[in-house]
Amino acid sequence: MDPQRPLIVAPPADAARPEPEDVPAALAPVVELLAGARVAALTGAGLSTDSGVPDYRSPGSPPRRPMTLQEFLATDAHRRHYWARNHLGWRFLRDVTPNAGHAALALLEYAGIVNGVITQNIDLLHLKAGSRNVVHLHGRFDQVVCRDCGRTFSREAHDQALSALNPGWRERHVDDVEVAPDADAALESTSDFRVAPCPRCGGTLMPDVVFFGGTTPRERVEHARSIVEEADALLVAGSSLAVMSGLRFVRQAAKAGKPVVILTRGETRGDDLATTKVEVSTTVALPYLAQALRPR
């Protein structure tokens, strides 16, 4: 394990907050702030954990050292290690289903209350739930892109290429691995795995996601900024705001004098900027808000 990788350590399991005993009372300040408002939604990994998607920072999650962009680009061995693990983990995200929180945000968008969803998640669950105006800040797991020619391919097609190069490899390993965040899988021995090159130019393929150490493409940031600018308030759901890619929009809203509502269980880097914060799971809070905020 490379000591240069960032070690992400989640809070202990006993740091998890219990659900409020009286959800309507706990969310009453949120309803008051957001009633009649056009709301931008910013979501993080905590929204998808109730769909079974593991994350880095939920209380009790094991320490992780995700691969950085610099590592991925540095050596063939690192790329082989990444793609071997992704070959096992990506199908989990392909098959996972949205939960009540995703569905609630889609309903709020259909009702004209949410004007867009800015998500730090790569799992596409917002799209599966029916949300339309979605900015995938960190990319999407179902695409790969060539570093050399810039062409984008589907992850399904890349899976076929990897399977052809590594017949039976998935079947030999799939029963003894742990699914990890971001379509990864916990697997140490990958030296016998073969990596598929770009079918167009023979170049280096990488997932169309933002690695740790990478930067969010400017066009995604600008799209997200416009969603916040056009909204009256910002609703943060299931994000610790630990990385600047999400925190910047909280700062944008606060600087513009717009209410910032945070719904998550645990501390966030944006707590001091929140107009109100409720320690509640998103699958409890968002369906309640979808009913409370929709016009009667």
Side-chain angles (χ1 to χ4, degrees):
M1 192 174 288
D2 192 325
Q4 298 304 310
R5 291 189 189 180
L7 177 64
I8 300 178
V9 180
D14 59 10
R17 268 66 163 198
E19 297 287 357
E21 293 185 6
D22 187 339
V23 171
L27 292 175
V30 177
V31 174
E32 183 177 355
L33 273 174
L34 300 184
R38 199 167 189 222
V39 181
L42 170 64
T43 69
L47 182 61
S48 294
T49 53
D50 283 349
S51 288
V53 180
D55 70 346
Y56 292 109
R57 296 182 176 88
S58 288
S61 297
R64 307 278 190 188
R65 289 188 186 272
M67 185 173 288
T68 65
L69 176 63
Q70 293 74 20
E71 278 185 290
F72 182 88
L73 297 177
T75 69
D76 290 338
H78 281 131
R79 290 189 287 276
R80 181 179 64 244
H81 191 64
Y82 178 88
W83 280 119
R85 292 163 62 112
N86 185 270
H87 191 52
L88 295 176
W90 84 277
R91 288 189 176 194
F92 174 80
L93 287 190
R94 181 193 66 180
D95 297 337
V96 76
T97 57
N99 61 50
H102 299 102
L105 285 175
L107 286 172
L108 286 166
E109 185 181 3
Y110 282 121
I113 297 168
V114 165
N115 71 319
V117 176
I118 306 160
T119 186
Q120 297 169 286
N121 302 334
I122 67 170
D123 53 37
L124 303 187
L125 291 180
H126 287 296
L127 295 183
K128 287 184 180 180
S131 292
R132 293 164 293 185
N133 189 21
V134 182
V135 180
H136 295 97
L137 284 177
H138 295 168
R140 38 192 297 168
F141 82 93
D142 67 332
Q143 297 179 164
V144 296
V145 63
C146 179
R147 292 278 302 183
D148 298 280
C149 70
R151 185 171 180 179
T152 298
F153 304 90
S154 76
R155 186 62 184 81
E156 288 279 359
H158 190 53
D159 182 71
Q160 294 174 16
L162 291 175
S163 296
L165 286 172
N166 302 276
W169 196 90
R170 177 187 287 116
E171 291 74 15
R172 292 195 299 274
H173 293 281
V174 71
D175 290 333
D176 58 0
V177 299
E178 171 203 353
V179 175
D182 295 336
D184 195 9
L187 180 70
E188 293 301 323
S189 179
T190 59
S191 59
D192 60 340
F193 191 81
R194 298 178 63 192
V195 175
C198 173
R200 180 182 182 184
C201 74
T204 298
L205 291 175
M206 65 180 297
D208 191 13
V209 300
V210 177
F211 280 73
F212 283 85
T215 57
T216 304
R218 180 181 297 275
E219 63 271 15
R220 294 181 202 164
V221 175
E222 293 307 313
H223 185 182
R225 286 192 185 280
S226 69
I227 290 173
V228 176
E229 184 177 350
E230 293 165 6
D232 304 310
L234 176 65
L235 172 65
V236 180
S239 176
S240 65
L241 301 171
V243 293
M244 185 55 65
S245 63
L247 183 62
R248 73 179 83 188
F249 303 111
V250 174
R251 291 179 173 175
Q252 176 190 348
K255 184 176 180 180
K258 300 179 181 185
V260 174
V261 172
I262 298 179
L263 304 175
T264 194
R265 297 170 71 182
E267 295 181 2
T268 84
R269 285 181 67 193
D271 285 355
D272 60 331
L273 298 173
T275 311
T276 189
K277 179 188 176 187
V278 182
E279 301 266 358
V280 60
S281 68
T282 54
T283 48
V284 170
L286 293 175
Y288 178 83
L289 292 179
Q291 294 299 318
L293 296 175
R294 291 171 72 185
R296 302 299 180 185

